[in-house]
């Protein structure tokens, strides 16, 4: 059933330049082609949630496909996905409404053709909160699938169960939207997600969705979806037992927001691996993590329940803890600041240059540096005792 409500100040939070682009597109297509333009997708959802509006997508109704290319050329838009009827104009994506039909294996195995009307076009969306539309002419929110109710309930619910299961990427999208929006996945949608195989997804697409979760404002909601949808079990062969899940969720909710901002994308995995029986190396491999993640996380140690100064100092050999994913652990952070290894590496009292001046070279230089470091760590341990 179609529901609408007036929302006259939709663009009050966007930049003047963007308002000009939107109005130029609307007036041109209405005047020259009697078209009707609707804003669709995440921008509508985010505006209703009071979040920043970006990635503005406009669907154009009432224009035949053979006329649409001409209209876009006259407007000065460039085709970025002509086979999908998608054009770029300034900061806007402009497209014809379309529907997708599963014709082959994999998440790319879809044929695309124009949709007849708004309802049919919005049916192809994954979740109801992403299927909301904003009619630029009438200044009304248009809702065919109960997205407004789901927004109020902070719920992710699929639009069409029959077509939802055709795209495996939607399972990971549920996970990252949960983390970004602080929403829970509705139970029937959970069941559908658990039925969908993830075997057809290339590594780059898997990591792309995981990274969106890592930077989400509610990482513990992403963790809930990761486990509830059985993504962890299917990708790396094992999830968290109940007690470990509760401890990991609490830590993520409290500690990740307090970590240095550049380290926050890595903190999810640092905390997850702390409670997981699966090694960090296996998890990174399963999500096809890029080298910047592997460099920071592959050798990350498990943090003891009560970390010692020696543990923190030993880990701060090359860099201060501020530049480590362990910076999200409050106990580690306190010790690092007290030892002076929060901003800089653990100092052993002698530099490689000084040892070279004493005649140490090559392997002998490395061995002497390590011997002095062990001695300094042993001194810390004796102080702890």
């Amino acid at each position: 059933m179609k529901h609408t409500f007036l929302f006259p100040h939709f663009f009050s939070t966007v930049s003047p330049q963007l308002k000009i682009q939107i109005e130029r597109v609307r007036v041109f297509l209405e005047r020259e082609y009697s078209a009707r333009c609707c804003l669709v997708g995440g921008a509508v959802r985010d505006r209703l949630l009071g979040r920043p509006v970006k990635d503005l997508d406009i669907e154009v109704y009432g224009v035949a496909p053979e006329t649409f290319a001409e209209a876009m050329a006259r407007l000065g838009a460039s085709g970025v996905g002509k086979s999908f009827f998608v054009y770029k104009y300034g900061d806007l994506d402009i497209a014809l409404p379309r529907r997708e039909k599963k014709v082959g294996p994999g998440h790319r195995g879809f044929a695309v053709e124009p949709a007849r009307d708004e309802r049919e076009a919005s049916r192809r969306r994954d979740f109801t909160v992403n299927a909301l539309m904003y009619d630029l002419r009438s200044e009304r929110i248009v809702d065919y699938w109960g997205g407004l109710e789901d927004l109020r309930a902070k719920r992710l619910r699929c639009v069409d169960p029959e077509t939802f299961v055709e795209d495996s990427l939607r399972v990971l999208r549920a996970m990252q939207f949960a983390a970004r929006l602080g929403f829970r996945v509705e139970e029937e949608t959970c069941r559908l997600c658990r039925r969908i195989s993830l075997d057809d997804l290339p590594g780059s697409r898997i990591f792309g969705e995981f990274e969106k979760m890592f930077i989400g404002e509610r990482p513990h909601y992403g963790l809930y979806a990761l486990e509830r949808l059985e993504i962890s079990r299917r990708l790396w062969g094992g999830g968290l037992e109940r007690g470990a899940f509760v401890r990991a969720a609490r830590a993520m909710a409290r500690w990740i927001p307090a970590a240095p901002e550049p380290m926050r994308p890595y903190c999810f995995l640092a905390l997850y691996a702390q409670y997981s029986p699966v090694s960090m190396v296996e998890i990174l491999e399963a999500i096809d993590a890029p080298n910047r993640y592997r460099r920071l996380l592959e050798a990350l140690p498990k943090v003891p329940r009560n970390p010692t100064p020696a543990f923190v100092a030993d880990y701060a050999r090359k860099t201060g803890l501020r530049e480590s994913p362990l910076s999200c652990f409050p106990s580690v952070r306190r010790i690092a600041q007290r030892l002076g290894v929060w901003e800089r590496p653990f100092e052993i009292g002698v530099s490689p240059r000084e040892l070279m001046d004493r005649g140490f070279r090559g392997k002998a230089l490395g061995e002497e540096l390590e011997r002095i470091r062990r001695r300094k760590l042993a001194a810390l341990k004796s102080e702890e005792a």
Side-chain angles (χ1 to χ4, degrees), residues 76-142:
S78 57
V80 293
K82 291 184 179 180
S83 59
F84 297 97
F85 319 108
V86 179
Y87 287 77
K88 191 80 173 177
Y89 179 76
D91 298 307
L92 307 174
D93 283 347
I94 308 173
L96 288 180
R98 61 187 189 270
R99 59 182 178 178
E100 298 170 349
K101 182 179 179 181
K102 188 73 170 176
V103 295
H107 73 290
R108 294 181 180 273
F110 291 88
V112 176
E113 57 187 15
R116 292 185 296 269
D117 54 39
E118 294 173 352
R119 190 174 191 277
E120 185 180 58
S122 61
R123 182 190 288 272
R124 75 179 179 87
R125 302 285 172 181
D126 46 13
F127 304 106
T128 61
V129 297
N130 294 336
L132 296 166
M133 311 172 74
Y134 181 69
D135 189 313
L136 297 181
R137 178 189 298 169
S138 67
E139 297 186 322
R140 285 184 174 273
I141 299 291
V142 181

XYZ file of all heavy atoms in Angstrom, residues 76-142:
537
model
N 23.542 17.812 -20.324
C 24.986 17.863 -20.105
C 25.469 16.807 -19.137
O 26.566 16.924 -18.566
N 24.656 15.764 -18.937
C 25.040 14.662 -18.058
C 25.866 13.648 -18.833
O 25.710 13.485 -20.041
C 23.795 13.995 -17.473
N 26.744 12.961 -18.130
C 27.600 11.951 -18.775
C 27.170 10.561 -18.325
O 26.844 10.336 -17.161
C 29.066 12.185 -18.409
O 29.241 12.176 -17.006
N 27.193 9.616 -19.267
C 26.788 8.249 -18.959
C 27.857 7.510 -18.194
O 28.999 7.411 -18.644
N 27.517 7.002 -17.033
C 28.464 6.218 -16.236
C 28.033 4.763 -16.156
O 28.776 3.908 -15.696
C 28.601 6.781 -14.802
C 29.256 8.135 -14.837
C 27.254 6.856 -14.096
N 26.807 4.482 -16.594
C 26.299 3.118 -16.609
C 25.150 3.050 -17.580
O 24.006 2.787 -17.213
N 25.457 3.307 -18.848
C 24.390 3.458 -19.841
C 23.543 2.195 -19.969
O 22.347 2.264 -20.230
C 24.996 3.847 -21.194
C 25.588 5.254 -21.205
C 26.078 5.634 -22.592
C 26.638 7.050 -22.607
N 27.113 7.455 -23.928
N 24.163 1.028 -19.786
C 23.392 -0.205 -19.873
C 22.393 -0.310 -18.732
O 21.424 -1.058 -18.800
C 24.322 -1.416 -19.876
O 25.107 -1.448 -18.704
N 22.632 0.453 -17.663
C 21.707 0.503 -16.527
C 20.933 1.819 -16.512
O 20.258 2.128 -15.541
C 22.476 0.357 -15.210
C 23.173 -0.956 -15.065
C 24.515 -1.085 -15.382
C 22.486 -2.068 -14.625
C 25.155 -2.297 -15.247
C 23.121 -3.294 -14.485
C 24.457 -3.414 -14.799
N 21.036 2.611 -17.604
C 20.325 3.883 -17.732
C 20.733 4.856 -16.622
O 19.893 5.578 -16.069
C 18.809 3.661 -17.699
C 18.342 2.458 -18.477
C 17.889 1.324 -17.828
C 18.373 2.463 -19.859
C 17.471 0.209 -18.542
C 17.946 1.349 -20.580
C 17.507 0.226 -19.915
N 22.029 4.916 -16.293
C 22.515 5.767 -15.203
C 23.449 6.832 -15.782
O 24.378 6.517 -16.528
C 23.253 4.952 -14.127
C 23.763 5.881 -13.018
C 22.342 3.883 -13.535
N 23.211 8.095 -15.377
C 24.036 9.219 -15.834
C 24.459 10.058 -14.631
O 23.816 10.053 -13.581
C 23.257 10.088 -16.829
C 23.076 9.445 -18.176
C 22.125 8.446 -18.357
C 23.860 9.810 -19.261
C 21.961 7.835 -19.598
C 23.707 9.216 -20.495
C 22.755 8.226 -20.661
O 22.601 7.622 -21.891
N 25.552 10.792 -14.828
C 26.094 11.655 -13.780
C 25.917 13.110 -14.197
O 26.271 13.497 -15.319
C 27.585 11.349 -13.582
C 28.186 11.991 -12.350
C 27.865 11.196 -11.109
C 28.593 11.729 -9.897
N 28.223 10.999 -8.668
N 25.391 13.904 -13.254
C 25.272 15.345 -13.487
C 25.728 16.045 -12.211
O 25.038 16.023 -11.188
C 23.836 15.730 -13.820
C 23.641 17.212 -14.039
C 24.049 17.817 -15.230
C 23.074 18.011 -13.048
C 23.890 19.184 -15.421
C 22.908 19.376 -13.234
C 23.327 19.966 -14.425
O 23.178 21.312 -14.615
N 26.900 16.662 -12.256
C 27.454 17.274 -11.054
C 27.616 16.229 -9.966
O 28.298 15.219 -10.155
N 26.971 16.465 -8.840
C 27.041 15.519 -7.727
C 25.861 14.559 -7.696
O 25.665 13.841 -6.709
C 27.085 16.288 -6.395
C 28.310 17.175 -6.298
O 29.420 16.657 -6.501
O 28.159 18.380 -6.033
N 25.071 14.540 -8.746
C 23.866 13.716 -8.787
C 24.036 12.523 -9.720
O 24.696 12.621 -10.759
C 22.678 14.551 -9.281
C 22.388 15.869 -8.574
C 21.272 16.598 -9.301
C 22.023 15.625 -7.124
N 23.410 11.405 -9.354
C 23.232 10.276 -10.261
C 21.781 10.303 -10.725
O 20.856 10.350 -9.895
C 23.523 8.943 -9.555
C 25.008 8.691 -9.402
O 25.803 9.403 -10.038
O 25.376 7.783 -8.649
N 21.582 10.272 -12.048
C 20.235 10.332 -12.613
C 20.003 9.050 -13.401
O 20.847 8.636 -14.204
C 20.073 11.551 -13.538
C 20.525 12.829 -12.822
C 18.640 11.682 -14.018
C 20.563 14.044 -13.724
N 18.873 8.401 -13.175
C 18.620 7.120 -13.830
C 17.141 6.941 -14.110
O 16.276 7.587 -13.501
C 19.113 5.976 -12.944
N 16.855 6.044 -15.044
C 15.490 5.585 -15.234
C 15.169 4.550 -14.157
O 16.064 3.828 -13.692
C 15.329 4.939 -16.609
C 15.339 5.865 -17.826
C 15.157 5.043 -19.094
C 14.244 6.924 -17.727
N 13.925 4.444 -13.744
C 13.552 3.366 -12.818
C 13.763 2.022 -13.513
O 13.506 1.893 -14.717
C 12.067 3.633 -12.547
C 11.596 4.416 -13.726
C 12.759 5.258 -14.140
N 14.232 1.060 -12.777
C 14.532 -0.225 -13.401
C 14.163 -1.384 -12.483
O 13.984 -1.217 -11.284
C 16.015 -0.300 -13.780
C 16.999 -0.188 -12.623
C 18.424 -0.094 -13.170
N 19.435 -0.187 -12.121
C 19.931 0.852 -11.462
N 19.484 2.070 -11.741
N 20.851 0.677 -10.541
N 14.082 -2.531 -13.071
C 13.888 -3.761 -12.325
C 14.980 -4.732 -12.733
O 15.560 -4.616 -13.825
C 12.501 -4.345 -12.585
C 12.211 -4.673 -14.045
C 10.807 -5.191 -14.212
N 10.506 -5.473 -15.615
C 9.345 -5.972 -16.038
N 8.383 -6.219 -15.164
N 9.143 -6.193 -17.322
N 15.249 -5.681 -11.887
C 16.328 -6.636 -12.131
C 15.772 -8.051 -12.097
O 14.945 -8.383 -11.238
C 17.425 -6.466 -11.076
C 18.077 -5.084 -11.119
C 18.987 -4.820 -9.933
O 18.946 -5.629 -8.972
O 19.712 -3.822 -9.945
N 16.240 -8.864 -13.005
C 15.786 -10.254 -13.089
C 16.994 -11.167 -13.049
O 17.978 -10.961 -13.773
C 15.018 -10.467 -14.402
C 14.463 -11.878 -14.557
C 13.692 -11.988 -15.865
C 13.140 -13.398 -16.055
N 12.410 -13.526 -17.346
N 16.943 -12.166 -12.178
C 18.046 -13.107 -12.040
C 18.106 -13.996 -13.271
O 17.149 -14.704 -13.602
C 17.830 -13.965 -10.787
C 19.001 -14.867 -10.427
C 20.158 -14.088 -9.866
C 21.222 -15.022 -9.281
N 22.401 -14.275 -8.811
N 19.273 -13.974 -13.960
C 19.412 -14.760 -15.187
C 20.636 -15.669 -15.163
O 20.828 -16.482 -16.069
C 19.488 -13.844 -16.428
C 18.175 -13.097 -16.615
C 20.663 -12.866 -16.323
N 21.484 -15.521 -14.148
C 22.687 -16.339 -14.101
C 23.232 -16.419 -12.696
O 22.727 -15.758 -11.778
N 24.279 -17.199 -12.495
C 24.848 -17.355 -11.150
C 25.611 -16.111 -10.707
O 26.001 -15.278 -11.525
C 25.794 -18.556 -11.317
C 26.200 -18.512 -12.764
C 24.995 -18.007 -13.496
N 25.815 -16.016 -9.404
C 26.621 -14.927 -8.869
C 25.834 -13.665 -8.642
O 24.700 -13.501 -9.093
N 26.494 -12.737 -7.887
C 25.802 -11.486 -7.552
C 25.710 -10.531 -8.730
O 25.049 -9.497 -8.645
C 26.506 -10.801 -6.369
C 27.816 -10.175 -6.725
N 28.926 -10.923 -7.037
C 28.191 -8.883 -6.845
C 29.928 -10.107 -7.318
N 29.511 -8.872 -7.211
N 26.372 -10.866 -9.838
C 26.273 -10.032 -11.039
C 25.330 -10.621 -12.083
O 25.145 -10.029 -13.147
C 27.666 -9.862 -11.668
C 28.645 -9.076 -10.809
C 29.982 -8.941 -11.524
N 30.948 -8.211 -10.749
C 31.081 -6.895 -10.750
N 30.287 -6.168 -11.493
N 31.995 -6.308 -10.003
N 24.763 -11.766 -11.810
C 23.958 -12.460 -12.808
C 22.545 -11.923 -12.931
O 21.571 -12.674 -12.773
N 22.403 -10.627 -13.227
C 21.096 -9.996 -13.328
C 20.943 -9.291 -14.669
O 21.891 -8.692 -15.178
C 20.885 -8.967 -12.211
C 20.758 -9.572 -10.841
C 21.883 -9.803 -10.062
C 19.510 -9.906 -10.340
C 21.769 -10.356 -8.800
C 19.387 -10.458 -9.069
C 20.517 -10.687 -8.304
N 19.749 -9.400 -15.233
C 19.394 -8.594 -16.404
C 18.598 -7.393 -15.912
O 17.768 -7.518 -15.010
C 18.572 -9.417 -17.380
N 18.859 -6.233 -16.513
C 18.216 -4.997 -16.083
C 17.342 -4.478 -17.205
O 17.746 -4.445 -18.377
C 19.281 -3.938 -15.706
C 18.607 -2.625 -15.343
C 20.133 -4.437 -14.545
N 16.126 -4.071 -16.851
C 15.220 -3.481 -17.823
C 14.397 -2.394 -17.141
O 14.276 -2.389 -15.910
C 14.314 -4.546 -18.429
C 13.495 -5.311 -17.418
C 12.752 -6.474 -18.055
O 13.095 -6.846 -19.191
O 11.828 -6.997 -17.414
N 13.847 -1.448 -17.919
C 13.078 -0.369 -17.291
C 11.877 -0.900 -16.515
O 11.246 -1.882 -16.913
C 12.638 0.483 -18.487
C 13.607 0.162 -19.569
C 13.969 -1.277 -19.376
N 11.585 -0.248 -15.406
C 10.397 -0.585 -14.621
C 9.215 0.244 -15.104
O 9.385 1.327 -15.655
C 10.649 -0.325 -13.143
N 8.007 -0.277 -14.857
C 6.812 0.407 -15.351
C 6.389 1.560 -14.437
O 5.855 2.556 -14.909
C 5.663 -0.597 -15.465
C 5.857 -1.655 -16.538
C 4.610 -2.509 -16.656
N 4.350 -3.269 -15.432
C 4.802 -4.494 -15.200
N 5.544 -5.092 -16.131
N 4.530 -5.117 -14.076
N 6.591 1.390 -13.129
C 6.083 2.403 -12.211
C 6.939 2.437 -10.942
O 7.880 1.657 -10.783
C 4.613 2.142 -11.866
C 4.384 0.724 -11.336
O 5.225 0.218 -10.568
O 3.356 0.120 -11.688
N 6.576 3.334 -10.039
C 7.338 3.527 -8.798
C 7.387 2.254 -7.959
O 8.440 1.879 -7.434
C 6.702 4.641 -7.963
C 6.750 6.016 -8.555
C 5.944 6.995 -7.701
O 5.257 6.536 -6.758
O 6.017 8.204 -7.970
N 6.254 1.625 -7.795
C 6.193 0.451 -6.923
C 7.094 -0.650 -7.441
O 7.826 -1.282 -6.677
C 4.747 -0.038 -6.805
C 4.553 -1.116 -5.732
C 3.073 -1.455 -5.574
N 2.868 -2.282 -4.400
C 3.035 -3.601 -4.372
N 3.412 -4.235 -5.467
N 2.825 -4.285 -3.261
N 7.034 -0.894 -8.728
C 7.871 -1.931 -9.319
C 9.346 -1.578 -9.191
O 10.182 -2.442 -8.902
C 7.507 -2.129 -10.792
C 8.252 -3.278 -11.447
C 7.857 -3.448 -12.896
O 8.015 -2.477 -13.676
O 7.395 -4.535 -13.257
N 9.684 -0.300 -9.382
C 11.082 0.121 -9.279
C 11.592 -0.018 -7.855
O 12.717 -0.466 -7.612
C 11.231 1.566 -9.752
N 10.754 0.369 -6.875
C 11.203 0.302 -5.485
C 11.273 -1.128 -4.969
O 11.955 -1.400 -3.977
C 10.278 1.137 -4.594
O 8.950 0.653 -4.625
N 10.600 -2.054 -5.634
C 10.632 -3.460 -5.212
C 12.040 -4.050 -5.300
O 12.370 -4.988 -4.572
C 9.671 -4.283 -6.068
C 9.594 -5.762 -5.662
C 8.817 -6.562 -6.689
N 7.406 -6.265 -6.648
C 6.542 -6.898 -5.851
N 6.954 -7.842 -5.041
N 5.267 -6.581 -5.886
N 12.877 -3.524 -6.191
C 14.215 -4.106 -6.352
C 15.158 -3.733 -5.215
O 16.258 -4.286 -5.110
C 14.827 -3.656 -7.678
C 15.315 -2.216 -7.696
C 15.931 -1.848 -9.025
N 16.378 -0.462 -9.041
C 17.574 -0.043 -8.626
N 18.447 -0.926 -8.159
N 17.899 1.219 -8.679
N 14.764 -2.807 -4.344
C 15.629 -2.395 -3.233
C 15.770 -3.536 -2.233
O 14.916 -4.414 -2.147
C 15.050 -1.171 -2.547
C 14.860 0.031 -3.446
C 16.165 0.711 -3.757
N 16.011 1.761 -4.761
C 17.006 2.499 -5.216
N 18.233 2.313 -4.740
N 16.814 3.409 -6.129
N 16.837 -3.482 -1.447
C 17.073 -4.565 -0.504
C 16.188 -4.475 0.734
O 15.463 -5.410 1.068
C 18.561 -4.636 -0.115
C 19.156 -3.273 0.230
O 18.401 -2.296 0.407
O 20.404 -3.186 0.324
N 16.232 -3.316 1.419
C 15.500 -3.161 2.666
C 14.457 -2.046 2.538
O 14.647 -1.097 1.775
C 16.469 -2.863 3.819
C 17.537 -3.904 3.956
C 18.844 -3.637 3.554
C 17.246 -5.163 4.464
C 19.822 -4.596 3.648
C 18.226 -6.134 4.565
C 19.519 -5.856 4.154
N 13.408 -2.162 3.299
C 12.310 -1.196 3.193
C 12.769 0.231 3.456
O 12.267 1.170 2.833
C 11.190 -1.554 4.180
O 11.709 -1.518 5.525
C 10.634 -2.943 3.896
N 13.731 0.411 4.374
C 14.188 1.775 4.679
C 14.988 2.364 3.529
O 15.187 3.579 3.481
C 15.013 1.806 5.985
C 14.156 1.390 7.173
C 16.265 0.931 5.883
N 15.445 1.505 2.611
C 16.160 1.976 1.429
C 15.237 2.119 0.223
O 15.691 2.521 -0.856
C 17.306 1.031 1.078
C 18.389 1.021 2.134
O 18.540 1.984 2.882
N 19.148 -0.059 2.216
N 13.963 1.744 0.388
C 13.006 1.807 -0.712
C 12.125 3.050 -0.638
O 11.224 3.222 -1.455
C 12.132 0.554 -0.712
N 12.389 3.930 0.330
C 11.636 5.180 0.431
C 12.002 6.111 -0.724
O 13.132 6.090 -1.218
C 11.930 5.860 1.764
C 11.492 5.091 3.011
C 12.138 5.697 4.259
C 9.973 5.110 3.132
N 11.050 6.942 -1.137
C 11.253 7.865 -2.247
C 10.809 9.265 -1.824
O 9.987 9.417 -0.915
C 10.454 7.411 -3.471
C 10.629 5.938 -3.820
S 9.509 5.366 -5.117
C 10.260 6.124 -6.543
N 11.347 10.272 -2.522
C 10.924 11.650 -2.284
C 10.575 12.281 -3.625
O 11.443 12.438 -4.503
C 12.021 12.453 -1.599
C 11.624 13.879 -1.304
C 10.653 14.168 -0.349
C 12.205 14.944 -1.987
C 10.271 15.470 -0.079
C 11.834 16.259 -1.724
C 10.869 16.515 -0.767
O 10.487 17.810 -0.502
N 9.302 12.601 -3.815
C 8.816 13.201 -5.057
C 9.197 14.686 -5.068
O 8.717 15.466 -4.242
C 7.294 13.036 -5.143
C 6.746 13.428 -6.502
O 7.126 14.500 -7.015
O 5.924 12.672 -7.044
N 10.061 15.073 -6.002
C 10.556 16.449 -6.042
C 9.468 17.452 -6.409
O 9.538 18.616 -6.017
C 11.719 16.566 -7.030
C 12.976 15.754 -6.713
C 14.041 16.010 -7.767
C 13.505 16.080 -5.338
N 8.465 17.011 -7.154
C 7.394 17.939 -7.558
C 6.416 18.183 -6.408
O 6.103 19.324 -6.070
C 6.644 17.383 -8.760
C 5.485 18.260 -9.219
C 4.642 17.552 -10.266
N 5.428 17.259 -11.464
C 4.992 16.460 -12.445
N 3.805 15.877 -12.355
N 5.742 16.243 -13.508
N 5.937 17.113 -5.782
C 4.921 17.256 -4.732
C 5.522 17.468 -3.352
O 4.789 17.764 -2.405
C 4.038 16.012 -4.701
O 4.786 14.871 -4.268
N 6.856 17.302 -3.240
C 7.562 17.429 -1.965
C 7.002 16.448 -0.922
O 6.823 16.769 0.246
C 7.492 18.868 -1.430
C 8.167 19.874 -2.339
C 8.219 21.267 -1.728
O 7.228 21.669 -1.064
O 9.248 21.934 -1.885
N 6.743 15.233 -1.367
C 6.205 14.211 -0.477
C 7.116 12.991 -0.407
O 7.726 12.610 -1.407
C 4.817 13.752 -0.949
C 3.720 14.768 -0.666
C 2.344 14.258 -1.064
N 1.309 15.195 -0.641
C 0.740 15.181 0.557
N 1.077 14.254 1.440
N -0.177 16.073 0.878
N 7.198 12.418 0.776
C 7.829 11.121 0.965
C 6.849 10.059 0.480
O 5.654 10.099 0.823
C 8.169 10.865 2.445
C 9.146 11.922 2.967
C 8.738 9.462 2.630
C 10.539 11.844 2.378
N 7.325 9.105 -0.314
C 6.493 8.026 -0.842
C 7.014 6.705 -0.289
O 8.204 6.398 -0.400
C 6.530 8.005 -2.386
C 5.638 6.887 -2.925
C 6.101 9.353 -2.949
